[in-house]
Amino acid sequence: MLLKVAKSSVFLVLAACTVNASAFAEQAEIDRKAVIKYFEDKFEDGEKNKDKFFPYSTDAELKGFIKGVKYNDFGIGTYSYHQAAKDQYLTFKDGIMPYEDAVEKGGKLYTKKFANGNSLATCFPDPTVANQYPKFDETKKAVVSLTVAINNCLTQNGEKPWDTKKGDIASFQGFLASKAVEAGKVVDIKIPTKEATEAYERGKKYYYSQRGYLKMSCATCHVQGAGQRVRNESMSPLVGQTTHFPVFRLKWDHLGTLENRMSGCITDQGQKPPKDDSKDMQEMLYFMGYMSNGMKIDGPDLRK
Ligand code: HEC
């Protein structure tokens, strides 16, 4: 009898946790849906929305916008709404990708033995899990980005960590992304606890905080500014900003991580970017990842 009571109360505790687990993501879900709606409304019809969303764009520019852009389309960033840029992008993608060698190298790095006989495959037995990062680590009570998870694997096995922007880390992430694509994975960021909710909120705050003498935030350019131009570049929407990394930028002439790209934006804002393994960077990535939840993984990709 006692055992029976004990068992049923365990069951109740578990059931309560399950309900709470989704409650921790409640605000994030509200944010995600609101942001998707904002972008779908904005890019429904550029010309029609000139007064509301694009007061500084020329009529000719807005004529070149694709109409009725939907949620999953935003994974290709600015190419999702800009017809000429999309055509050019698709033509490029028809050819041999400049990142193919890097991805192949990433596959070799996956099974390459460390001095202690382990390998990255020991830490990532399933190579299709890039869609789950950044992850909230319940024991550390902290967000862990994919970049940091990879370097943790190296250091825990007595190896030197990699540069976090390009080189081996980008090749290996390219391999993981291509495996996730093969497996048809979609972004799947979880917010499992109260601490995770707090980390998400801090990441969101960073994204929306104005900084520097220009008083700009990421959102100035990638929410309100998405679809407008700065230095002759159209700006991508927040939704879908993390789905396709690592990225080969023609301007860089290398495959680079998401941190590589974001640090460039922050430097352009006149700010010193947070370190790639810092709490600020990982929590901002957590917020950005959640905003792309449910979208298909589509990396590595190509950008100008
Ligand atoms: C002054 C405007 C500006 C600000 C502020 C800015 N960015 Fe950007 N960002 C750009 C431009 C321009 C590009 C290149 C075009 C594009 O959006 O793909 C870009 C590109 C990106 C990309 C690559 C998008 C893709 O599809 O590959 C990411 C990710 C990004 N920014 C994140 C951020 C984050 C995070 C912040 C804040 C820390 C930020 N940006 C702040 C202008 C800005």
Side-chain angles (χ1 to χ4, degrees), residues 217-218 221-222 230 234 236 241 244 261 265-266 269 303:
S217 68
C218 311
C221 291
H222 295 296
V230 62
S234 294
S236 55
Q241 252 185 345
H244 51 281
R261 187 62 157 131
C265 276
I266 301 172
Q269 264 173 281
R303 290 289 183 270

Side-chain angles (χ1 to χ4, degrees), residues 107-141:
K108 292 196 179 118
L109 290 168
Y110 181 57
T111 48
K112 189 178 166 195
K113 293 263 184 283
F114 301 145
N116 70 0
N118 287 341
S119 67
L120 283 160
T122 319
C123 304
F124 299 93
D126 175 0
T128 71
V129 294
N131 64 323
Q132 296 171 16
Y133 286 88
K135 232 184 211 178
F136 193 79
D137 182 324
E138 310 254 1
T139 35
K140 289 190 186 134
K141 304 248 177 276

Side-chain angles (χ1 to χ4, degrees), residues 66 76-83 85-86 89 302-304:
I66 298 168
I76 54 172
T78 68
Y79 309 140
S80 61
Y81 57 79
H82 206 290
Q83 189 68 62
K86 184 172 183 176
Y89 165 79
L302 201 64
R303 290 289 183 270
K304 270 202 288 194

